């Protein structure tokens, strides 16, 4: 069974600091997909990134970067030069390659607070 | 940017009443989902739907729940007799096809059972 662990329940940093959100996953499949979603106080789920298991290249998008390491089953998310608008709950999620019903298994989320 | 649209954004219902949550997935998407998030907790899978039938459902999705795609555009979740513990945010999601591209969530319906 697939599982996602986000050990950091809450993180607070001062604005402009860098912050890394950890995500560790478990799966028996060799083909799987990893996601990060942002949930701001308004409640919606905002897609940030999708990564498949065969693509271990790290990705950078503006102030956001992701480090995917299959050897440690981790998919960590770093925000550089954090801003108050980054305050939200961040969820990591995993989906195994199935036969059309690829559900997402979410971690418990990390609540990030950026202090002005 | 295509969106998944959910209505209503907030619904209050009395315990024991039936409620229908509505979703309009992205038009060229083929796979549809409902997820639930109890306040302060993680997002949990309820059900997936493809080719006009349920492809997988979780333990949460018991006989009180049903889904339908009545007209080729809407995708609904019905709870027949609501309980207090059904109070949660319900998210609809859809995706296009292979490789999980475009796995997009709606903005959610907050259901409050009183």
């Amino acid at each position: 069974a697939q599982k996602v662990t986000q050990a950091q329940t809450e993180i607070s940093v001062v604005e402009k600091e860098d912050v890394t959100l950890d995500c560790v996953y478990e799966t028996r499949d060799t083909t799987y997909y990893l996601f990060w979603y942002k949930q701001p106080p308004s409640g919606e789920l905002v897609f940030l990134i999708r990564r498949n298991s065969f693509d271990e290249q790290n990705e950078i998008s503006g102030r956001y970067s992701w480090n995917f390491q299959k050897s440690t089953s981790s998919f960590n998310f770093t925000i550089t030069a954090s801003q108050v608008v980054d305050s939200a709950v961040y969820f990591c999620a995993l989906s195994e390659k199935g036969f059309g019903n690829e559900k997402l298994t979410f971690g418990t989320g990390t609540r990030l607070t950026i202090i002005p | 940017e295509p969106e998944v649209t959910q209505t209503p954004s907030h619904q209050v219902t009395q315990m024991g009443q039936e409620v229908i949550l509505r979703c309009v997935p992205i038009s060229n998407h083929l796979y549809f989902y409902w997820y639930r998030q109890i306040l302060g907790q993680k997002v949990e899978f309820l059900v997936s739907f493809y080719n006009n039938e349920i492809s997988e459902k979780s333990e949460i999705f018991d006989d009180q729940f049903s889904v339908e795609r009545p007209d080729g555009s809407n995708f609904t979740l019905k709870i027949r007799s609501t309980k207090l513990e059904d109070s949660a945010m319900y998210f609809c999601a859809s995706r296009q096809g292979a490789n999980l591209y475009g796995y997009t969530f709606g903005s959610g319906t907050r259901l409050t059972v009183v």
Side-chain angles (χ1 to χ4, degrees):
Chain A
Q2 52 194 45
K3 185 179 176 184
V4 176
T5 301
Q6 294 180 258
Q8 303 151 309
T9 307
E10 295 192 29
I11 300 176
S12 294
V13 299
V14 176
E15 196 173 17
K16 296 184 185 165
E17 286 185 355
D18 299 348
V19 59
T20 295
L21 309 183
D22 297 335
C23 173
V24 174
Y25 62 91
E26 293 175 32
T27 176
R28 286 175 291 193
D29 276 12
T30 55
T31 303
Y32 52 90
Y33 298 85
L34 295 162
F35 297 77
W36 276 94
Y37 286 89
K38 174 182 180 180
Q39 187 173 46
S42 48
E44 71 271 25
L45 287 169
V46 179
F47 169 83
L48 296 177
I49 190 171
R50 165 198 164 279
R51 170 69 78 225
N52 76 52
S53 53
F54 297 109
D55 182 2
E56 284 195 75
Q57 275 198 325
N58 291 329
E59 179 155 340
I60 298 174
S61 176
R63 296 184 297 107
Y64 294 170
S65 62
W66 290 270
N67 183 301
F68 176 28
Q69 297 213 342
K70 284 176 80 169
S71 60
T72 56
S73 297
S74 65
F75 187 44
N76 296 337
F77 172 34
T78 297
I79 302 175
T80 304
S82 59
Q83 300 175 2
V84 172
V85 293
D86 296 327
S87 296
V89 180
Y90 290 85
F91 290 97
C92 180
L94 164 71
S95 180
E96 292 168 345
K97 179 65 176 171
F99 297 96
N101 58 323
E102 285 86 347
K103 65 186 181 208
L104 297 187
T105 297
F106 284 80
T108 49
T110 297
R111 180 177 300 278
L112 176 64
T113 302
I114 309 300
I115 302 164
Chain B
E1 185 88 28
E3 288 185 347
V4 175
T5 305
Q6 289 187 245
T7 54
S9 56
H10 191 185
Q11 178 144 5
V12 181
T13 190
Q14 288 206 320
M15 192 169 55
Q17 294 296 305
E18 175 182 287
V19 65
I20 297 175
L21 310 183
R22 301 180 193 279
C23 169
V24 178
I26 295 172
S27 62
N28 62 345
H29 283 193
L30 302 175
Y31 300 86
F32 313 109
Y33 305 83
W34 284 100
Y35 288 80
R36 180 182 83 174
Q37 184 184 30
I38 294 171
L39 186 64
Q41 298 187 22
K42 69 177 178 180
V43 180
E44 299 174 290
F45 167 77
L46 288 179
V47 65
S48 56
F49 192 86
Y50 170 71
N51 202 24
N52 283 319
E53 60 182 23
I54 290 174
S55 43
E56 186 176 351
K57 56 186 180 180
S58 71
E59 293 172 354
I60 304 167
F61 194 89
D62 61 21
D63 293 344
Q64 298 284 20
F65 292 89
S66 62
V67 289
E68 221 178 23
R69 189 158 159 79
D71 56 12
S73 61
N74 291 285
F75 179 50
T76 61
L77 174 69
K78 183 194 290 186
I79 309 174
R80 270 182 259 287
S81 177
T82 49
K83 309 185 197 77
L84 294 176
E85 54 265 37
D86 293 327
S87 295
M89 180 78 99
Y90 288 82
F91 290 103
C92 175
S94 70
R95 68 178 179 89
Q96 188 171 29
N99 300 326
L100 278 73
Y101 280 110
Y103 209 127
T104 306
F105 283 80
S107 54
T109 293
R110 181 166 299 284
L111 176 66
T112 303
V113 182
V114 297

